Amino acid sequence: KTAYAQSSQVRAIRKKMVDIMTKEASTVDLKSFVNKLIPDSIGKDIEKECMDIYPLHDVFIRKVKVLKKPKFDVSKLMDLHGETGGTTDESGEIVSAPGEFVEPTIQESV
């Protein structure tokens, strides 16, 4: 038999979810917040906090809405992306400068 939460329970769960997300987003910067979203640690926090309202399971964050523009610091952006503007690999190391052409390697199979 399928059981559904009452509308008051849904409102309480939604309010607690918004509170947890704003608390997490306000304590860390944008890059570390996105890194927290990927392993779904915030979903587990929401699941634990809302257990007394209604038993939840498999809580995932599907969409995040930016309500206020984050503080923009050009120097931090340039540190993240590199001031040279060249191509980088997975580890963030600069592979080539913006002006030089690099021939792609031939793949064995597709």
Side-chain angles (χ1 to χ4, degrees), residues 34-87:
V34 171
N35 288 337
K36 273 188 172 182
L37 288 174
I38 293 171
D40 201 46
S41 64
I42 298 176
K44 293 186 190 319
D45 292 343
I46 292 171
E47 191 173 336
K48 285 181 208 165
E49 291 285 324
C50 295
M51 270 303 175
D52 58 343
I53 300 170
Y54 192 81
L56 300 174
H57 60 89
D58 298 334
V59 177
F60 299 107
I61 296 177
R62 180 174 58 187
K63 187 192 319 187
V64 177
K65 185 176 182 181
V66 179
L67 298 177
K68 196 164 99 176
K69 183 177 164 185
K71 294 175 186 167
F72 184 70
D73 191 8
V74 177
S75 61
K76 283 188 179 180
L77 181 71
M78 295 311 276
D79 289 341
L80 287 175
H81 294 290
E83 295 179 14
T84 59
T87 308

